[in-house]
Amino acid sequence: MTHFTASFLAGGVATLITMPLDVMKTRMMNAPPGTYSSLMACFKDIATAGPMGFFKGFIPAFVRLGPHTILTFIFFEQLRLHFGDEVPA
């Protein structure tokens, strides 16, 4: 249960940290050519909606990233328990 909780929190933190850049990347990819002259122009456009504009779609992003993070950490922990964590010299 501890590994699940830690993995769940790690997925939440990872989503929280990567969300602003993901929103800017998505905006720039979906905008018609010439809409944004730079990453800073995109940043300013999103910032007009306020700080929460950078976290649009947080729940869907967490639903995508959360289970992946949880399963990855639990899987690696089981591998470590069964095969050891010592690296051969």
Side-chain angles (χ1 to χ4, degrees), residues 10-84:
V13 170
T15 305
L16 190 69
I17 290 171
T18 59
M19 212 47 219
L21 286 175
D22 194 36
V23 168
M24 286 194 291
K25 176 196 69 133
T26 303
R27 281 271 182 107
M28 290 186 81
M29 288 175 60
N30 291 331
T35 302
Y36 298 115
S37 59
S38 66
L39 191 62
M40 194 56 152
C42 182
F43 177 86
K44 288 178 183 176
D45 182 44
I46 297 170
T48 59
M52 293 309 291
F54 291 101
F55 297 96
K56 282 187 173 183
F58 181 83
I59 299 298
F62 179 74
V63 168
R64 176 179 49 97
L65 190 61
H68 176 267
T69 306
I70 292 167
L71 291 174
T72 298
F73 281 126
I74 289 176
F75 177 73
F76 283 143
E77 181 62 22
Q78 291 303 312
L79 281 175
R80 190 188 66 79
L81 289 174
H82 287 93
F83 298 108

Side-chain angles (χ1 to χ4, degrees), residues 5 8-9 11 15 20 29 41 59 86:
T5 306
F8 185 83
L9 290 173
T15 305
M29 288 175 60
I59 299 298
E86 293 182 24

